[in-house]
Amino acid sequence: MADAPVVVVRGEAYREVAPELARFTVTASARDRDRETTLTRLAERAAAVRVLLDAAGPAVERRETGQLRVWPETKRSGERVVAYHGSVTTAVTVADFTALGDLMLRLAEQDQVEVAGPAWALRPDSTAYREARHAAIADALARAREYAEALGARVTALVELADTGLAAAPPMLARAAYAGADDAPPELELDPQPQPVQAAVEARFTISEPVLG
């Protein structure tokens, strides 16, 4: 076995699969000359965002409060404060895409609230990754058999298998379309974008003695 001929191949697999998650951010802001007024308005607007997210129920799979900022606005010529600004951002993860557009619109209707996204993604433990790895291994074996057959030989054993990479595309932003009459609530149609998943392996197989004559 140690002296057996060896063939080295690379197996690859590429898939485009439906996204499993959509992520977007909601930022509530406030500004006023009085610091306490700014903080009060910011707290009220952040609370309104929380109420809407609570009302979404299980459609919201995860939410996390991100950066909270409060800063003074000063004149260029000195340190005199002319106003105070405040903002708080919440990252939202949704798995139920049927509720996504309506939820984003409801949030965007709030006073001094900015909504950005969504970005589509797969779960970290998505079966798409395992399926891509399996397909890459199958591709490596098929290539090894092709090379062996071209030499009049056959694959006899696996010597080594190395995972050279599993990659998914960065989160992709949605394509959005608005619809609805002036007297009807706005509707937002979102087109989830397929997520590319690519896997690659390198494999070494022993083969029987080639027939070179």
Side-chain angles (χ1 to χ4, degrees):
M1 181 66 70
D3 297 327
V6 173
V7 60
V8 180
V9 295
R10 177 181 175 88
E12 298 177 317
Y14 178 85
R15 299 285 188 273
E16 286 192 351
V17 300
E20 299 167 342
L21 300 172
R23 298 187 177 99
F24 64 92
T25 59
V26 188
T27 302
S29 303
R31 178 185 183 277
D32 195 85
R33 292 183 178 181
D34 180 69
R35 179 171 54 188
E36 293 302 322
T37 301
T38 299
L39 295 176
T40 299
R41 290 178 180 173
L42 181 61
E44 291 173 349
R45 290 164 185 168
V49 168
R50 292 184 64 87
V51 168
L52 288 175
L53 294 177
D54 287 340
V60 174
E61 184 167 294
R62 184 172 182 175
R63 70 190 193 198
E64 301 167 295
T65 301
Q67 188 177 44
L68 169 65
R69 296 185 61 207
V70 179
W71 69 99
E73 176 186 340
T74 59
K75 281 196 169 183
R76 295 181 181 177
S77 58
E79 295 185 353
R80 187 169 70 86
V81 176
V82 296
Y84 289 91
H85 297 259
S87 68
V88 60
T89 299
T90 302
V92 183
T93 301
V94 175
D96 181 2
F97 298 161
T98 61
L100 179 60
D102 180 66
L103 175 59
M104 293 182 69
L105 283 183
R106 289 181 182 275
L107 290 165
E109 289 174 345
Q110 303 303 301
D111 188 30
Q112 296 298 311
V113 169
E114 176 186 354
V115 179
W120 309 102
L122 296 173
R123 297 181 185 277
D125 60 349
S126 174
T127 59
Y129 298 126
R130 177 173 58 85
E131 292 169 357
R133 288 191 293 266
H134 287 190
I137 293 172
D139 182 57
L141 180 56
R143 293 189 186 192
R145 285 172 173 164
E146 288 178 6
Y147 290 136
E149 289 174 3
L151 295 169
R154 59 184 177 82
V155 173
T156 56
L158 172 66
V159 177
E160 182 180 358
L161 179 67
D163 187 346
T164 61
L166 179 69
M172 304 173 70
L173 295 181
R175 299 188 301 270
Y178 293 87
D182 293 339
D183 58 349
E187 296 180 358
L188 180 61
E189 298 178 2
L190 298 175
D191 298 322
Q193 294 186 344
Q195 301 298 292
V197 178
Q198 184 174 359
V201 298
E202 290 184 356
R204 295 164 57 89
F205 295 93
T206 57
I207 62 175
S208 60
E209 284 297 328
V211 179
L212 302 178

